Amino acid sequence: MQTAAFLDIDGTLYRNSLMIEHFKKLVKYEVVDPGVWHTSVKAAYVEWRRRVGEYEDYMLELVDIYYEALKGRRAADLEFISNQVINLNGDIVYKYTRNQILWHKQQGHKVFFISGSPDFLVGKMAQKYEIDGFRGTGYVTDENGRYTGEVIPMWDSDSKNKAIDEITRVYNIDLTQSYAYGDTNGDYAMLLKVGNPVAINPTNELLQSIKAHPNLSKKTTIIIERKDVIYQLGPHVTTIPGEIKLS
């Protein structure tokens, strides 16, 4: 049996969201009316940037507009924009996670991305980092290669759980020896699946889920990367408003 590493991308490897960067490029190249940003998304974005609003609220504002922006458009016509997203942002990653990918390769482990970002972007990141496979949110196209507006999600815990089950069967993975890396509660099932769970800059929701689980609370490694320092903590971390300290 083989050892594997399962990694989320947004917030775990990449420092932002591939979907957000793709949306920005759609606006820049006027695939999406720039006015939509100012009337529908900007307020939630500003609230999040000021840390008085939630990231999830910002994403919810964006996601429906993103679906509509792609609907009816040919995937091939947007290939240039998709490539631009990876070319300009593919190296803006957390040093810890990038180094872990290299380490897993050196150990002969299989490496997989499991991400809520669009599969056509996740695939390009997988190619860039030369890993073994990936799963992303599927944006369905019709027989003419146009996006239908139908989406097959990969951002939630249940979908990622099923993806790992599928990969485990295909590659004969020993999950007890494997690793998972995530940052939000959508990655909870991935962390629960493996013998070596790692939460990278976890949200408070994920941290509380880890602390509440009898096994995860004992074996999860917490990684905090800020500026040029990487902190490794145990799951006994306590959060208070505005800071994190050890209990």
Side-chain angles (χ1 to χ4, degrees), residues 60-233:
L60 286 173
E61 290 283 348
L62 179 61
V63 70
D64 289 338
I65 296 170
Y66 183 77
Y67 294 162
E68 288 301 314
L70 293 183
K71 188 174 181 180
R73 299 185 183 278
R74 292 179 66 248
D77 294 341
L78 302 180
E79 185 71 6
F80 169 76
I81 297 177
S82 299
N83 287 333
Q84 283 286 92
V85 170
I86 304 304
N87 291 340
L88 296 174
N89 299 280
D91 292 314
I92 305 174
V93 298
Y94 289 110
K95 182 178 181 179
Y96 171 84
T97 316
R98 182 183 62 210
N99 289 345
Q100 286 301 104
I101 292 174
L102 178 60
W103 180 79
H104 284 297
K105 289 181 178 181
Q106 292 172 341
Q107 303 308 306
H109 300 166
K110 296 292 185 182
V111 181
F112 302 94
F113 289 155
I114 303 181
S115 171
S117 272
D119 54 359
F120 53 84
L121 296 177
V122 176
K124 293 180 185 300
M125 282 289 275
Q127 184 177 16
K128 176 178 176 62
Y129 285 91
E130 298 180 327
I131 65 169
D132 297 282
F134 69 93
R135 298 291 186 275
T137 295
Y139 286 74
V140 179
T141 57
D142 62 18
E143 63 276 8
N144 298 314
R146 295 182 182 276
Y147 292 110
T148 65
E150 181 183 355
V151 175
I152 303 172
M154 190 54 66
W155 55 72
D156 60 290
S157 194
D158 287 344
S159 296
K160 293 190 175 190
N161 184 52
K162 293 175 183 176
I164 289 183
D165 284 343
E166 178 188 351
I167 292 170
T168 298
R169 289 193 299 270
V170 172
Y171 289 89
N172 193 30
I173 302 297
D174 181 357
L175 290 175
T176 65
Q177 300 299 313
S178 294
Y179 297 74
Y181 302 83
D183 71 309
T184 71
N185 228 40
D187 303 313
Y188 178 73
M190 291 205 309
L191 302 184
L192 197 59
K193 280 279 194 183
V194 300
N196 302 284
V198 182
I200 299 177
N201 299 326
T203 62
N204 186 56
E205 183 182 22
L206 177 58
L207 187 57
Q208 297 310 317
S209 295
I210 290 170
K211 291 163 68 69
H213 193 278
N215 289 328
L216 285 181
S217 63
K218 296 175 183 177
K219 65 182 183 179
T220 303
T221 298
I222 309 294
I223 297 294
I224 307 295
E225 183 171 334
R226 289 292 182 267
K227 296 185 173 68
D228 60 349
V229 181
I230 299 171
Y231 305 88
Q232 180 172 315
L233 308 172

Side-chain angles (χ1 to χ4, degrees), residues 40-58:
S40 303
V41 182
K42 185 178 179 180
Y45 171 74
V46 170
E47 291 291 288
W48 168 64
R49 289 284 289 181
R50 293 173 56 211
R51 296 300 189 267
V52 294
E54 296 296 329
Y55 179 75
E56 288 77 11
D57 294 337
Y58 166 43

